[in-house]
Amino acid sequence: MEEKRAKKEEVIETEIQMGTVHPAALEPYRVRFFVEDEIIKDAEITVGVNHRGVERIMEGLPVEKANALTEKICGICSNSHVWNSVRTAEKGLEVDVPDRAVYIRVIMGELERLHSHFLYLAHGCEVLGHETFSMRVFYMRETIMELLSMIGGNRVQYGCAIIGGVRPRCELDDNRIQRLIDGMNKTEEALTNFADRFLHDTMVMSRITGVGVLPQEQAIKLAVSGPTLRATGVKSDLRTGMYEYENFDYDLITQPDGDVKSNLLMRVLESFESIKIIRQAVKNLPSGPVSNRSWEMFDCDIIESHIEVPRGDLYDSFAIEDGRIRSCLIRTPSLANIGAMQYACIGDSITDGQLCIVQCDPCFTCTDRAVEIIQLDKNDKKMMRK
């Protein structure tokens, strides 16, 4: 009797899944790595775990109530969401915002940029396995969180911006102004110390240099924005076109390589620029009221607004009908940035895969939306995504 011989097996594909819960990710998502000899050949990122239907909930709500709801989209960039939602309504209703309120909004925006960038740096160091650096950055971030709480009354969801300005509780008196000055001095000293140690740590630098490279042309093709785009050398920052930043002097930071190192350095160097902007806003804070409530509600067609938030281009649009929101659409920068990370991790080791994905500072809760693909014409192959 002939011996049965085992059939020779051929491995067609090796897939390694991470998520939806992973210790290196702050939010749930799923990534599939297709690997060959422990090198990533392709990747697929799936989001949608946090979808809550915010845009649908906003449909039909009174405008100011809908503005307040946008803060619930994200806990990290809550001020950014309400600022752009309010800004959209102001644009349609032709509301003039007092100069003092504009400066306070800028201060809040840059404080949020600092706390977001610090959270990213701390998380990045954690993924790198450097707990000491991670804890040092979290300690720096605590100063920023205290300042945000001082102005808005909360550490998260500060409720600062309203149509026509900012809430009265966000007014800056002499005591608050001095605390802001002291906080910026303390933060700059701590950030300088961290940056010096971080950049001179040869083990960290060797781990992040040349890893997760996103070429400039690919970043542009995939509509990447914010620090992730500037990390590829593209000089693009929506603050240069925002009227709120017309009176502020700051440098537009870029990095040349589009790798993890460039993305980390972007957040470090941009944090220094945020400190610079806050100091200018405090020093040149205009006198006068912090809100203008003498505006009237009327119907508006679709209104659009883009602003630069910590992760890039935040887009809001909606119409106003009988004082209520219609046709609401919110697009966050992470939508494009996360997709680009599928490309950035290809060619790297599986051990660096998670590091490559989190280098864009993804915000999955912000990103999760319902997407419709609409064919405009049966004879036209072009599709529209909304």
Side-chain angles (χ1 to χ4, degrees):
M1 186 174 180
E2 293 183 4
E3 290 183 332
K4 292 183 179 180
R5 296 183 179 180
K7 293 182 180 180
K8 185 178 180 181
E9 295 182 353
E10 180 181 355
V11 177
I12 299 175
E13 183 178 77
T14 301
E15 175 186 335
I16 297 178
Q17 298 191 42
M18 294 185 182
T20 54
V21 178
H22 189 278
L26 298 177
E27 300 171 276
Y29 72 105
R30 177 173 176 248
V31 58
R32 301 166 68 195
F33 290 127
F34 302 93
V35 302
E36 183 179 314
D37 295 331
E38 299 193 3
I39 300 299
I40 300 171
K41 297 299 182 180
D42 200 359
E44 179 186 274
I45 300 174
T46 304
V47 299
V49 180
N50 289 313
H51 177 62
R52 293 163 293 160
V54 172
E55 292 163 324
R56 181 63 185 87
I57 295 171
M58 289 176 65
E59 189 75 22
L61 287 180
V63 175
E64 292 188 280
K65 187 172 183 179
N67 291 155
L69 178 62
T70 58
E71 278 199 313
K72 308 300 188 288
I73 293 175
C74 180
I76 300 173
C77 43
S78 58
N79 179 76
S80 299
H81 282 288
V82 72
W83 184 5
N84 203 34
S85 183
V86 164
R87 197 174 187 267
T88 305
E90 289 171 345
K91 186 176 179 180
L93 299 173
E94 301 176 356
V95 179
D96 292 326
V97 181
D99 291 340
R100 189 174 181 88
V102 170
Y103 274 58
I104 292 174
R105 286 182 180 182
V106 169
I107 290 171
M108 289 295 291
E110 294 308 311
L111 284 173
E112 186 169 76
R113 195 180 312 277
L114 282 171
H115 110 69
S116 179
H117 281 1
F118 287 174
L119 181 63
Y120 168 85
L121 289 170
H123 182 216
C125 291
E126 184 181 18
V127 176
L128 284 168
H130 207 307
E131 187 175 350
T132 300
F133 276 162
S134 179
M135 291 299 104
R136 285 182 181 275
V137 181
F138 272 123
Y139 182 74
M140 285 194 299
R141 179 174 174 268
E142 193 62 25
T143 300
I144 307 302
M145 300 305 293
E146 290 175 357
L147 293 174
L148 286 166
S149 178
M150 173 193 74
I151 298 174
N154 292 301
R155 288 170 60 90
V156 181
Q157 299 178 356
Y158 329 101
C160 179
I162 56 173
I163 297 177
V166 298
R167 296 187 188 278
R169 70 164 182 251
C170 299
E171 173 65 285
L172 298 179
D173 56 19
D174 292 341
N175 177 57
R176 287 182 167 188
I177 288 174
Q178 187 58 51
R179 286 182 63 183
L180 277 167
I181 294 171
D182 294 341
M184 291 304 99
N185 292 339
K186 180 180 179 181
T187 300
E188 184 177 46
E189 181 182 357
L191 182 60
T192 301
N193 183 40
F194 165 79
D196 182 63
R197 295 188 179 200
F198 186 80
L199 292 173
H200 289 90
D201 190 307
T202 54
M203 290 186 67
V204 171
M205 289 297 107
S206 63
R207 174 77 191 281
I208 63 178
T209 301
V211 174
V213 176
L214 179 65
Q216 184 181 106
E217 61 274 13
Q218 193 69 20
I220 296 171
K221 179 180 178 181
L222 296 173
V224 171
S225 68
T228 308
L229 178 61
R230 294 190 287 275
T232 67
V234 178
K235 291 187 175 182
S236 174
D237 190 323
L238 294 185
R239 286 178 293 181
T240 59
M242 294 172 61
Y243 78 90
E244 293 93 337
Y245 285 87
E246 289 176 352
N247 298 321
F248 294 96
D249 178 32
Y250 56 96
D251 294 325
L252 186 57
I253 304 298
T254 61
Q255 289 292 307
D257 300 322
D259 57 0
V260 175
K261 177 184 176 182
S262 292
N263 274 279
L264 286 166
L265 288 179
M266 279 299 307
R267 272 66 175 195
V268 173
L269 298 176
E270 283 197 351
S271 295
F272 285 111
E273 298 306 308
S274 291
I275 293 171
K276 184 192 299 184
I277 292 172
I278 292 170
R279 282 174 171 161
Q280 293 175 60
V282 169
K283 181 181 178 181
N284 303 316
L285 187 64
S287 58
V290 296
S291 67
N292 168 23
R293 301 298 291 171
S294 60
W295 50 270
E296 295 183 0
M297 185 69 68
F298 54 84
D299 289 355
C300 303
D301 291 331
I302 296 293
I303 322 151
E304 300 178 320
S305 177
H306 294 260
I307 66 171
E308 181 77 18
V309 299
R311 290 163 182 80
D313 176 8
L314 174 62
Y315 168 83
D316 279 68
S317 72
F318 53 76
I320 300 175
E321 181 182 310
D322 297 329
R324 297 179 179 274
I325 294 288
R326 300 297 181 194
S327 305
C328 177
L329 179 62
I330 302 171
R331 189 188 67 228
T332 66
S334 288
L335 185 64
N337 294 350
I338 292 171
M341 295 305 101
Q342 295 179 148
Y343 183 92
C345 65
I346 295 175
D348 286 294
S349 168
I350 185 65
T351 56
D352 289 329
Q354 194 65 282
L355 183 60
C356 296
I357 289 175
V358 301
Q359 69 171 321
C360 74
D361 193 13
C363 186
F364 298 100
T365 302
C366 281
T367 304
D368 284 345
R369 296 287 183 275
V371 176
E372 295 179 351
I373 307 297
I374 301 174
Q375 186 167 342
L376 300 180
D377 189 283
K378 291 183 178 180
N379 299 321
D380 189 354
K381 294 182 179 180
K382 292 182 179 179
M383 309 292 277
M384 182 178 72
R385 181 179 222 164
K386 74 174 186 175

